[in-house]
Amino acid sequence: MKPLMRSFGIFIRQIIRDDMLWAVCLAPLLVALLFRFGIPYAESLLCAYFQKRTILAGYYLLLDLVLCLMPPYMFCFASAMVMLTERDENMAGYMAVTPVGKTGYMLSRLVLPAAIAFPISILLIHFFSLTNWNYLALSAVSLLMGLSSIAVALFIFSFSRNRVEGMAMVKLSGLLFVGLVAPFFVLSGAQYLAAFLPSFWAAKLCLEENSLLMLPALAVSLIWIWALGRRLERKLY
Amino acid sequence: MRIWSLLRGDIRFQYKYGFYLLYLVFSILYISLIFSFPQAWREKAAILMIFTDPAAMGLYFMGAIVLFEKSERVLDSIAVSPVKTYEYMLSKLLSIGVISVIVGFSIGFFSHAVNMTARFLVGIFLCSCLFSAVGLLVAAKSVSLNDFIISTIPAELLINIPAIAWLFGWRPGWLLLHPGVCLMELCENGKYAFTAFIILVLWTLFFALIANRTVKSMFREIGGIKL
């Protein structure tokens, strides 16, 4: 446990040094404020202008999901950037042969940040949500968002050999969140084309309020993490 | 010609690390997205996409490129070679400019959303050089990727917000002094396109000169000694 915490301490120190910690903490809060106060205002303006009763209101749930995703995503993104830097400077390899080990390294860089983000997601939704949530569903969705964020960070890290490819992967990894949008905009069966994405099932779970959907959601997330984690393990020597 | 060798090296580097492949994927994605919009939105959407992605790619990728070169000690070799700093900088700006123009052209041309003119392509190229120069400026001073990303946020906001405001109709005349707005004017082939072109060239030169100075001091510091 001690080496793990120490490795996590190094991570925190690094993001403090780069001022990234501020961004990671402030960005979700800014988004929350924008969604909570800006969106209903924009909705009232739009409705008045187009003479309709609702325009954006149907997508409030989607915005809440994005808000729920923000904390784990920001933490895991900062973490992926630190991991890319550490690999180019050979730090990752050194960490893997210390008592931290490969697993400890991955835990301290991916699982701990996502775990810290979990209560933050719940608090953000509690104070700033646009729709009504029950706490069981909220915990489930926060958990799924944490898992997808871990999958994204793993994706960035395991498909790149250095920082440059890492940044290209960051761009590409945004596509993994297309799953969040699909159930809201693609109403036909074609939406299931996105079923291999963990974010798709999180959105589906909230839309249909069917707790059975938690099963495919967890399964898809864990398959992603398992497959990418194995790939990463082979890359860390 | 040293600059050709540098340019060839940079293009090979960008090809090897997947820039061309990445932008092939994104071009296809953007073009399909544009087709999913109603006709009336397409031109604005295409210009917005070109401005915020291929034209701005230098600002996004420069940190990774320069930091990677630092960690692989490429810069040490370049610093002791006869290569001049402006050649190094030009090669970075041109190689990224090439990708921006190709991608910008493909998005505009295949989506049939933008009226393709030489002005439009020159605008993308200049804007891309401008973004890359700003990226180079920030990258030369950063120590890690997180550091670079945080430092580029103010630059992104300063360049993007006025330009996007212009695109969506907020058009006071003095805003034409802004480089992003100049690109919008060039893309839309507006009344003041020629003035916009001159202003954009001046901005690009200005930032290239500052970037050149920063790169020069970075090369001096690489050996660990500040001269």
Side-chain angles (χ1 to χ4, degrees):
Chain A
M1 202 59 194
K2 208 174 159 197
L4 193 73
M5 291 322 282
R6 194 160 282 173
S7 159
F8 183 63
I10 296 175
F11 164 65
I12 292 293
R13 251 196 319 249
Q14 260 169 322
I15 60 174
I16 289 176
R17 193 188 57 186
D18 297 338
D19 291 330
M20 192 65 170
L21 195 62
W22 288 108
V24 162
C25 298
L26 278 180
L29 198 62
L30 285 178
V31 172
L33 288 171
L34 179 75
F35 281 5
R36 182 67 188 83
F37 300 107
I39 295 290
Y41 179 65
E43 166 78 344
S44 63
L45 287 185
L46 283 172
C47 288
Y49 185 76
F50 289 106
Q51 305 283 316
K52 281 186 183 170
R53 201 159 335 132
T54 59
I55 293 174
L56 296 172
Y59 303 112
Y60 279 1
L61 182 60
L62 178 61
L63 294 173
D64 275 356
L65 283 171
V66 172
L67 182 59
C68 191
L69 171 71
M70 281 303 286
Y73 180 68
M74 286 306 294
F75 268 105
C76 288
F77 174 74
S79 181
M81 294 295 109
V82 167
M83 285 167 84
L84 287 173
T85 304
E86 282 176 341
R87 183 176 44 202
D88 274 2
E89 285 159 9
N90 286 329
M91 285 299 292
Y94 296 137
M95 296 278 252
V97 295
T98 62
V100 178
K102 281 183 196 176
T103 323
Y105 179 68
M106 279 154 67
L107 282 176
S108 69
R109 290 292 182 275
L110 295 169
V111 179
L112 281 182
I116 291 178
F118 177 75
I120 302 179
S121 282
I122 294 184
L123 280 177
L124 273 184
I125 293 287
H126 175 81
F127 287 110
F128 297 102
S129 69
L130 294 166
T131 54
N132 288 323
W133 286 81
N134 74 57
Y135 286 89
L136 194 65
L138 179 55
S139 322
V141 170
S142 301
L143 175 72
L144 288 176
M145 292 304 181
L147 292 177
S148 352
S149 304
I150 294 177
V152 168
L154 277 170
F155 175 83
I156 295 170
F157 193 65
S158 61
F159 277 100
S160 58
R161 284 168 294 177
N162 52 52
R163 284 185 247 226
V164 183
E165 286 185 346
M167 287 305 273
M169 283 304 146
V170 169
K171 244 182 140 52
L172 214 55
S173 70
L175 296 180
L176 293 184
F177 292 114
V178 170
L180 223 46
V181 189
F184 286 89
F185 291 99
V186 187
L187 300 176
S188 67
Q191 60 174 253
Y192 283 96
L193 284 174
F196 67 98
L197 297 170
S199 53
F200 171 81
W201 292 102
K204 198 92 177 135
L205 180 74
C206 291
L207 263 179
E208 300 190 359
E209 295 178 355
N210 179 352
S211 50
L212 269 182
L213 286 171
M214 192 65 187
L215 288 176
L218 274 177
V220 171
S221 309
L222 292 176
I223 288 173
W224 272 82
I225 292 176
W226 175 77
L228 292 168
R230 273 194 46 164
R231 208 184 137 85
L232 183 134
E233 211 167 344
R234 264 181 275 134
K235 285 193 127 180
L236 280 178
Y237 14 76
Chain B
M1 286 292 277
R2 282 194 298 260
I3 185 123
W4 287 118
S5 317
L6 281 170
L7 197 59
R8 228 179 21 239
D10 271 330
I11 290 178
R12 195 182 298 152
F13 176 96
Q14 285 151 14
Y15 176 75
K16 186 175 165 195
Y17 292 126
F19 284 34
Y20 285 83
L21 186 70
L22 178 79
Y23 273 96
L24 180 69
V25 173
F26 271 91
S27 301
I28 295 172
L29 187 80
Y30 284 143
I31 294 168
S32 356
L33 255 178
I34 291 173
F35 275 114
S36 73
F37 289 141
Q39 189 73 43
W41 298 7
R42 286 187 189 168
E43 188 186 2
K44 275 197 170 45
I47 292 177
L48 191 65
M49 283 171 185
I50 293 170
F51 177 68
T52 52
D53 194 358
M57 68 179 286
L59 190 51
Y60 181 82
F61 281 109
M62 201 54 88
I65 296 174
V66 173
L67 287 169
F68 182 59
E69 287 184 343
K70 270 188 198 169
S71 70
E72 295 282 303
R73 312 233 164 229
V74 177
L75 289 183
D76 301 41
S77 317
I78 295 181
V80 296
S81 74
V83 170
K84 302 267 190 308
T85 43
Y86 75 86
E87 292 171 333
Y88 172 81
M89 182 202 65
L90 272 184
S91 141
K92 286 273 174 295
L93 262 53
L94 294 180
S95 57
I96 288 185
V98 168
I99 305 182
S100 303
V101 170
I102 297 175
V103 175
F105 174 79
S106 327
I107 295 177
F109 182 75
F110 291 110
S111 67
H112 306 296
V114 185
N115 196 4
M116 214 31 80
T117 57
R119 272 185 193 166
F120 172 76
L121 295 177
V122 173
I124 297 176
F125 180 74
L126 285 174
C127 216
S128 163
C129 289
L130 179 102
F131 273 110
S132 302
V134 177
L136 202 55
L137 196 73
V138 179
K141 293 182 185 260
S142 324
V143 286
S144 70
L145 274 183
N146 275 331
D147 190 19
F148 175 80
I149 291 169
I150 293 286
S151 319
T152 52
I153 293 175
E156 297 257 7
L157 294 178
L158 280 177
I159 303 180
N160 284 336
I161 291 179
I164 292 171
W166 178 275
L167 185 66
F168 286 100
W170 187 62
R171 299 188 170 191
W174 54 269
L175 207 58
L176 212 59
L177 289 172
H178 184 277
V181 171
C182 293
L183 178 76
M184 296 297 166
E185 187 67 11
L186 276 175
C187 287
E188 289 183 331
N189 212 351
K191 256 196 309 203
Y192 305 109
F194 186 71
T195 325
F197 172 73
I198 302 286
I199 295 172
L200 189 55
V201 170
L202 290 177
W203 275 111
T204 310
L205 279 177
F206 173 69
F207 277 107
L209 282 177
I210 301 185
N212 190 34
R213 271 184 54 180
T214 320
V215 172
K216 204 175 244 172
S217 68
M218 175 177 75
F219 276 175
R220 283 202 195 126
E221 281 172 31
I222 279 170
I225 303 169
K226 283 191 182 175
L227 289 172

